[in-house]
Amino acid sequence: MKETIAITIESMRGGGTQRVCSYLIEGLVNHGTGVHLITILGSDTDFFKVPAKVDRHVLWSSGPSFSLLSAIYGNMRRVLEMRRAVKKSGCTCLISFISTHNIIAVLSCVGLDVQVIISERNDPRYQRIGLVWTLLRRLVYPKAAFVTANSPQAISYLESMVPKERLRFMPNPVETFGNSSKLVSSRPFFLAVGRLNQQKAFDILIKAYARARCQSVLPPLLIIGKGPEESALKEQITRHGLKDDVTLIGEVLNVGDYYNQSLALIHPARFEGMPNVVLEAMGTGTPVVVSKSQLGILDLVYHEKNGMIFQKDDVEQLAKIIVRLSSDEAFRKNLGRQAQTSIMNRPKNDGVSDWLDIIDFATKSKSKRFQETVNS
C-alpha cells in the first residue's frame, strides 16, 4: 500500500519556505508517495505550482483577529479543521512549515496515530511571534516526533525546548540556474530578493542606496518580492528621489535570469535561518552582501573573500559596500567566482532524500520513549 504523507503550510505564495516546501512535494510525488497538502489560503494565491497528483485541503480562514476572543476562536477552529483534514488524508506523517502554523499542526494531531515533523525555516531566536505563541511553542514543540531547522544556530536554540535526539539539521536545497541569454534589463543592476517585510530590511537597503548615490554614479537597484511593506517602501523610494533608480518588480518566475545578470545580490535581512536567495545567487557566481545578524549564512559567506558582510542596519557601512562593488569590477568578479566555488563544494541536497529518511524513522520507530513523548 502506498504511503501517504500530509504537508501543511499557510500558503504556497512566493517565499523561501514555500520554495523548500515545493521541492519536498515534487520529490515525494516523484518517489511515488501519496501527498496531501493542507493550506489556509487557496490555490488562487499560489506562486509555486502544486502537482496535479496532490490532494489539496483548504482550511477556513478567519482573517486578522481584532480581539483576544476572536483570536482564540479562530485558532481553535483552525485546529479542528486541520484535524479533520489530517484524518481525511489517512496520512501516517504530517510535515508542518512555519512557526505558529507548526503549533496548530501539533495540537491538531493530539491523540491521532500520526507523527508530526516540524520544519523551522527561520531563526526562532529573533522571530517575533508574540508572547502567547512563544509560550505555546515551548510547550508544544516537545510533542512533535521531530523538529528540523535549516541552520546550526536554530538547532542550538531549540535544544532548550526539544530533546537533542529529536532535533535534525535540514539544510536548504539549492536550485541551480544555468547561464541565461535572456536579458531582463538593458543595464547592469544590483538585486535584492525577498518578502517585503520588516525582517528583510529593504528600508535599510534603500537608505544605503540613496546615500551611496550621493557619492557615486550607481547602476539601478531591482527588488523582487511582495509583502506588507510594499506601500511604505514605495513611499520611501519617492521620498529619496529614487523613482528612476529603485524598482519594486513584484514576484517573478525567472529569478535565475536576474541572478545571472546582476552585479551583486544584496540581502540586508535583520535575521534569517539560511536564506535560499543567497545560496542561489552564490551558485550562479553572483557576489552577495549579507548582514552580520544572518548567522546561518555566515558559515558560508566570508567577508571580502566570497562575499561582503556589514553590521545589521548600518546604513553607512552598506553604502560604502555598494559604492565599492559598483566601481571595482575585478574585485566584484573575484567575489562571484569564490562564491560559486563555495556552493559547488557544499554537500548536495536534492530537497527530498533527507526528508525520506526522517519520515521513515518517525513512522517506523516503535520505541517506548518515542511513543510516550508523542502521545503524552
Side-chain angles (χ1 to χ4, degrees):
M1 183 176 177
K2 183 169 70 172
E3 185 177 25
T4 300
I5 302 297
I7 296 172
T8 186
I9 189 170
E10 291 181 352
S11 75
M12 290 301 289
R13 296 182 303 188
T17 299
Q18 286 81 359
R19 183 183 293 277
V20 170
C21 185
S22 71
Y23 292 151
L24 174 58
I25 291 170
E26 184 176 356
L28 289 174
V29 169
N30 292 338
H31 185 260
T33 303
V35 178
H36 288 249
L37 177 63
I38 304 171
T39 60
I40 294 174
L41 300 183
S43 58
D44 57 311
T45 67
D46 288 355
F47 177 76
F48 293 101
K49 186 177 180 181
V50 177
K53 292 182 178 180
V54 173
D55 291 305
R56 181 82 170 257
H57 308 260
V58 179
L59 306 181
W60 172 80
S61 176
S62 61
S65 300
F66 298 103
S67 70
L68 178 60
L69 286 177
S70 66
I72 293 172
Y73 169 76
N75 285 304
M76 287 181 63
R77 180 168 174 178
R78 193 168 295 167
V79 168
L80 293 174
E81 288 217 357
M82 187 178 294
R83 185 180 182 87
R84 281 194 287 268
V86 169
K87 292 171 72 173
K88 185 177 180 180
S89 74
C91 67
T92 55
C93 180
L94 174 67
I95 301 173
S96 178
F97 290 84
I98 301 180
S99 54
T100 56
H101 198 68
N102 293 339
I103 295 167
I104 297 292
V106 176
L107 292 174
S108 73
C109 291
V110 171
L112 300 182
D113 189 20
V114 175
Q115 310 304 327
V116 181
I117 300 174
I118 285 172
S119 178
E120 274 285 353
R121 311 309 300 180
N122 215 318
D123 191 333
R125 295 171 301 171
Y126 302 113
Q127 190 177 25
R128 298 290 178 260
I129 60 175
L131 178 60
V132 173
W133 285 112
T134 300
L135 292 173
L136 281 172
R137 178 167 61 189
R138 188 163 290 277
L139 292 171
V140 168
Y141 271 31
K143 307 295 183 184
F146 285 99
V147 177
T148 72
N150 63 354
S151 73
Q153 291 77 15
I155 290 290
S156 179
Y157 174 81
L158 290 166
E159 286 178 0
S160 66
M161 63 185 81
V162 179
K164 187 179 293 187
E165 63 270 18
R166 288 194 280 116
L167 289 170
R168 292 292 185 274
F169 171 52
M170 194 73 71
N172 286 355
V174 180
E175 183 170 354
T176 55
F177 301 94
N179 292 327
S180 172
S181 59
K182 180 182 177 182
L183 282 177
V184 294
S185 174
S186 59
R187 296 186 292 167
F189 56 88
F190 285 117
L191 180 66
V193 182
R195 185 157 169 75
L196 306 184
N197 58 19
Q198 281 292 314
Q199 177 188 342
K200 302 304 182 184
F202 291 137
D203 56 322
I204 296 299
L205 173 56
I206 292 169
K207 288 179 183 177
Y209 182 91
R211 187 164 300 184
R213 199 187 63 158
C214 294
Q215 304 170 28
S216 176
V217 176
L218 296 179
L221 168 64
L222 305 184
I223 301 177
I224 294 175
K226 288 185 176 181
E229 295 295 311
E230 184 170 349
S231 295
L233 293 175
K234 285 181 177 178
E235 291 175 6
Q236 185 183 7
I237 290 167
T238 301
R239 190 166 62 250
H240 285 291
L242 298 174
K243 291 184 71 173
D244 295 330
D245 302 280
V246 180
T247 305
L248 305 181
I249 61 176
E251 295 174 331
V252 300
L253 291 172
N254 61 327
V255 67
D257 295 330
Y258 287 85
Y259 291 142
N260 275 311
Q261 294 170 43
S262 66
L263 298 178
L265 174 86
I266 305 174
H267 195 66
R270 294 181 168 99
F271 61 92
E272 282 283 12
M274 180 65 73
N276 282 55
V277 295
V278 175
L279 299 174
E280 291 168 354
M282 292 176 72
T284 65
T286 302
V288 296
V289 181
V290 299
S291 66
K292 200 171 184 178
S293 59
Q294 301 172 49
L295 298 182
I297 199 66
L298 297 187
D299 291 335
L300 192 64
V301 177
Y302 298 95
H303 187 58
E304 296 188 337
K305 294 182 179 179
N306 64 355
M308 299 293 284
I309 301 171
F310 70 100
Q311 292 289 342
K312 180 185 75 171
D313 290 347
D314 191 326
V315 172
E316 186 63 37
Q317 190 179 16
L318 180 54
K320 290 178 180 178
I321 289 173
I322 291 172
V323 170
R324 183 177 182 185
L325 290 178
S326 175
S327 60
D328 194 336
E329 182 180 5
F331 176 68
R332 190 176 66 238
K333 288 186 174 181
N334 183 62
L335 288 181
R337 284 192 295 268
Q338 296 303 320
Q340 190 168 39
T341 299
S342 299
I343 293 297
M344 290 174 63
N345 292 337
R346 190 171 182 257
K348 298 295 184 287
N349 178 4
D350 62 5
V352 69
S353 296
D354 289 343
W355 283 108
L356 288 171
D357 289 342
I358 197 171
I359 290 168
D360 184 66
F361 193 90
T363 55
K364 292 183 179 179
S365 174
K366 300 296 181 182
S367 72
K368 182 178 179 181
R369 180 179 178 185
F370 178 82
Q371 290 297 329
E372 288 177 349
T373 302
V374 173
N375 296 324
S376 62

